[in-house]
Amino acid sequence: MRRRPSRPGQRQAEVPTSSLADIAFLLLIFFLVTTTIDTDTGIYLELPPPLLEAPPPVNERNLLNILVRNDAVLIDGRAATVDDIRTEVARHVTNEGRDPAYADSPRTAIVSFKAARSTSYARYVDALDAAKLAYRDVRDAEARRLGAANYAAYRTTLPIDADDPVSKRYPVKLSLAEPDPR
């Protein structure tokens, strides 16, 4: 199809672009409002206050060593799984001096957690969560033993962890050791 030559004084048909900037601006606002931005929150750890004096020596019996290296878990040098961490920490903390392989009492029980730099982030978080969940399980069992109604009423009158009988009996002593340079 041939185009007809335009006559002098006749204008070519144009697409109206006056509202194009408005439409682009509205689309930009729409995408800014509806887009979600993921943020990495990391791991929340509350650091202890600085030591004013050297800590007392730790009896080897009261120390449970957890090492995560290349996604393998070692508990006191023995091969284990992430699920084993939860049971071993609970057994270590609640031993009350019965088994010589575990802690003398819950107040002296320390869990040393160490991970090599080659450990994947997911395995590190899983292992650390298992250790923390063991303390939660032990404290939950103690709270239930004290009586849920009495314990709940007692907890509402106090600030969290202030003169709490469960926290006093089973303090969380989880030591995060410096990772290996490897």
Side-chain angles (χ1 to χ4, degrees):
M1 199 172 181
R2 284 181 19 166
R3 293 182 98 179
R4 292 187 352 188
S6 64
R7 297 185 197 147
Q10 184 181 12
R11 294 180 50 188
Q12 291 284 337
E14 295 179 2
V15 175
T17 58
S18 61
S19 64
L20 190 62
D22 295 338
I23 293 171
F25 185 68
L26 287 173
L27 283 174
L28 178 66
I29 289 174
F30 172 76
F31 287 117
L32 285 174
V33 169
T34 59
T35 302
T36 58
I37 299 173
D38 291 334
T39 57
D40 293 332
T41 55
I43 300 173
Y44 175 75
L45 293 174
E46 186 175 332
L47 298 176
L51 294 174
L52 300 176
E53 56 190 48
V58 177
N59 184 350
E60 219 30 61
R61 174 184 180 171
N62 295 326
L63 188 62
L64 181 70
N65 293 303
I66 299 172
L67 173 64
V68 183
R69 181 185 301 147
N70 298 332
D71 293 341
V73 177
L74 298 172
I75 299 175
D76 281 339
R78 297 180 320 272
T81 64
V82 172
D83 296 331
D84 294 337
I85 292 174
R86 199 166 173 177
T87 56
E88 286 294 311
V89 169
R91 191 176 299 150
H92 179 70
V93 171
T94 61
N95 184 44
E96 298 287 346
R98 292 181 294 272
D99 187 349
Y102 296 106
D104 292 327
S105 75
R107 288 188 189 95
T108 60
I110 299 172
V111 177
S112 174
F113 185 86
K114 188 175 189 180
R117 293 193 188 278
S118 61
T119 303
S120 69
Y121 186 74
R123 179 55 59 110
Y124 177 82
V125 170
D126 289 343
L128 188 58
D129 283 348
K132 289 179 179 180
L133 283 173
Y135 275 103
R136 190 203 66 185
D137 292 344
V138 167
R139 286 179 162 190
D140 184 57
E142 178 67 10
R144 289 177 192 275
R145 188 188 68 77
L146 289 175
N150 294 337
Y151 183 69
Y154 183 75
R155 285 287 282 188
T156 57
T157 61
L158 296 172
I160 294 178
D161 289 336
D163 296 329
D164 178 5
V166 175
S167 296
K168 279 185 175 181
R169 178 149 174 77
Y170 295 106
V172 177
K173 293 188 176 180
L174 184 61
S175 170
L176 299 178
E178 188 71 27
D180 290 333
R182 298 179 260 149

